[in-house]
Amino acid sequence: MMEGEVTARPTAIEIRDLRVDYGDFVAVDDVSLKVPAGEVFGLVGPNGAGKTSTFRVLATLMEPTYGEVFLDGVDILEDREQARRIVGYMPDLAPVPTDLKVWEFLDFHAAAYGIGRRKARRERVAECLEEVRMSDQRNAWCHKLSRGQTQRVVLAKTLLHRPRVMILDEPASGLDPLARRDLRTALRNLAKTGATVFVSSHILSELAEMCTSLCVMNRGKLLAAGTAEEVRRLLGNAGRKVTLHFVSRVEHAMAWMEGKPGIGAMEREGERVTVDLEGDDFLQSELMAGLVNEGFRMLSFEERRSSFEEILVEVAESNRK
């Protein structure tokens, strides 16, 4: 899927035919994508997929080989300064100074963003620290923060100028489960204000929980975009496993299923039979209906599809082929 367009809402991020080359190496290969305003939109892919190169272009930190990028309608290649007022960028493992306290670090950036009056800066710093649950660390020295705390402080810095588009590269890196939950809440609250959050991770299940929509990249190409379930359907193996828990007559049920369309290997464990099924939802419903019509009694009929981790492993392993 070379282009993703999630909803009919106004477009906050539009990428057209983006390509990034490093010498003979193609990092981003003709990617086109539209992200509506108010989305928490995820970008997932294995290492080397092109995520960071894409984000660096969006953040106006590098020029693409060719292509066009618009943030809130602003052409970032034609008007970088205006684009930088719109965007907030958080790189993976961003450094913080060792000789400043947390509030001093944020106050410095607030001044750089043009929040001129000292009282206004102090209030905005306090708001951003509260947003990332770091108010109790405002007087801590930056060099004494844990990795997860550092990530949260850098996120607070990214929020200072109220960007309409946020580009977050692996923001959950180093966060514990509680902090990741707080991050999800903070990003969703930002989206409710109309801001657009474009966030990357190599953990697909993490993005599936965090984002309203997402896309998958590999080898510089955009493979799929949409909701988490749409991406699962587009990239997951067409095959699925169904486990049937019978009340009785297990052997007869297995004999009846054998040779039916889409039925693959069957494995029995007690009263349960796991079946490899090649087909769509209609074929699965036909199997269920057929068993019931034949009088086979079942306690359950459960489907197992590829997990997000399995999908990403399959995508990553294609790099080796």
Side-chain angles (χ1 to χ4, degrees), residues 214-226:
L214 53 89
C215 63
V216 178
M217 285 185 71
N218 189 38
R219 294 181 176 180
K221 290 188 175 293
L222 187 65
L223 302 183

Side-chain angles (χ1 to χ4, degrees), residues 2-3 13-22 26-33 43 49-60 62-71 75-77 198 217 219-222:
M2 290 303 297
E3 182 169 350
I13 301 171
E14 183 172 3
I15 302 171
R16 301 176 185 169
D17 304 319
L18 182 66
R19 182 177 174 117
V20 177
D21 295 340
Y22 297 99
V26 181
V28 181
D29 192 358
D30 293 327
V31 167
S32 295
L33 180 70
L43 172 59
K51 303 188 302 295
T52 295
S53 294
T54 299
F55 275 12
R56 286 179 61 80
V57 170
L58 291 173
T60 73
M62 66 181 296
E63 290 192 8
T65 305
Y66 61 75
E68 297 176 289
V69 178
F70 299 87
L71 301 180
D75 186 333
I76 70 169
L77 301 179
F198 201 4
M217 285 185 71
R219 294 181 176 180
K221 290 188 175 293
L222 187 65

Side-chain angles (χ1 to χ4, degrees), residues 17-321:
D17 304 319
L18 182 66
R19 182 177 174 117
V20 177
D21 295 340
Y22 297 99
D24 294 332
F25 176 71
V26 181
V28 181
D29 192 358
D30 293 327
V31 167
S32 295
L33 180 70
K34 290 183 180 180
V35 180
E39 287 277 342
V40 181
F41 194 88
L43 172 59
V44 68
N47 292 334
K51 303 188 302 295
T52 295
S53 294
T54 299
F55 275 12
R56 286 179 61 80
V57 170
L58 291 173
T60 73
L61 296 178
M62 66 181 296
E63 290 192 8
T65 305
Y66 61 75
E68 297 176 289
V69 178
F70 299 87
L71 301 180
D72 257 13
V74 176
D75 186 333
I76 70 169
L77 301 179
E78 294 293 330
D79 194 346
R80 287 178 178 272
E81 291 307 312
Q82 180 61 21
R84 287 171 179 171
R85 296 187 185 97
I86 293 169
V87 71
Y89 175 57
M90 176 180 172
D92 184 19
L93 299 179
V96 295
T98 60
D99 57 347
L100 293 179
K101 293 184 178 182
V102 167
W103 77 265
E104 292 173 327
F105 169 67
L106 295 177
D107 183 75
F108 171 81
H109 282 279
Y113 283 132
I115 305 174
R117 294 180 179 275
R118 181 176 297 180
K119 180 181 179 182
R121 293 203 306 269
R122 185 168 60 247
E123 290 175 351
R124 184 59 185 152
V125 165
E127 290 171 357
C128 292
L129 283 173
E130 177 61 28
E131 190 69 31
V132 299
R133 302 292 190 268
M134 285 287 288
S135 296
D136 59 341
Q137 296 293 321
R138 70 181 312 274
N139 288 312
W141 292 99
C142 288
H143 72 275
K144 292 189 176 181
L145 299 175
S146 69
R147 178 175 172 179
Q149 288 174 326
T150 299
Q151 287 289 90
R152 285 192 274 175
V153 169
V154 174
L155 177 59
K157 183 268 295 180
T158 309
L159 296 172
L160 284 168
H161 64 300
R162 294 184 173 88
R164 300 202 298 273
V165 176
M166 294 188 64
I167 310 296
L168 309 180
D169 196 356
E170 300 277 358
S173 176
L175 299 186
D176 59 39
L178 183 59
R180 286 199 297 271
R181 185 200 66 186
D182 290 341
L183 175 64
R184 289 197 298 271
T185 301
L187 297 186
R188 288 168 182 164
N189 288 340
L190 282 170
K192 290 177 182 177
T193 69
T196 302
V197 182
F198 201 4
V199 54
S200 79
S201 177
H202 63 281
I203 304 174
L204 186 49
S205 59
E206 181 177 85
L207 283 189
E209 294 177 359
M210 186 182 300
C211 300
T212 49
S213 300
L214 53 89
C215 63
V216 178
M217 285 185 71
N218 189 38
R219 294 181 176 180
K221 290 188 175 293
L222 187 65
L223 302 183
T227 65
E229 191 54 41
E230 287 169 342
V231 168
R232 185 204 296 271
R233 186 174 65 251
L234 287 165
L235 296 184
N237 193 306
R240 61 185 78 180
K241 290 183 181 291
V242 292
T243 300
L244 305 91
H245 188 180
F246 292 96
V247 175
S248 60
R249 300 175 62 208
V250 181
E251 297 88 350
H252 295 86
M254 293 178 69
W256 180 86
M257 288 188 288
E258 191 170 353
K260 291 289 188 297
I263 298 294
M266 289 185 282
E267 183 178 341
R268 178 181 177 181
E269 184 176 347
E271 304 300 306
R272 298 177 185 272
V273 179
T274 299
V275 180
D276 289 339
L277 186 64
E278 294 288 338
D280 56 14
D281 290 344
F282 179 78
L283 183 64
Q284 181 171 314
S285 67
E286 285 287 290
L287 174 61
M288 188 187 308
L291 287 165
V292 172
N293 290 337
E294 290 294 320
F296 296 109
R297 301 289 185 180
M298 293 175 289
L299 292 175
S300 63
F301 188 110
E302 300 174 336
E303 174 194 356
R304 178 187 177 276
R305 299 192 188 186
S306 300
S307 69
F308 286 119
E309 285 78 10
E310 289 168 337
I311 291 172
L312 195 58
V313 166
E314 290 176 5
V315 169
E317 286 182 343
S318 71
N319 284 337
R320 305 172 185 172
K321 298 179 181 178

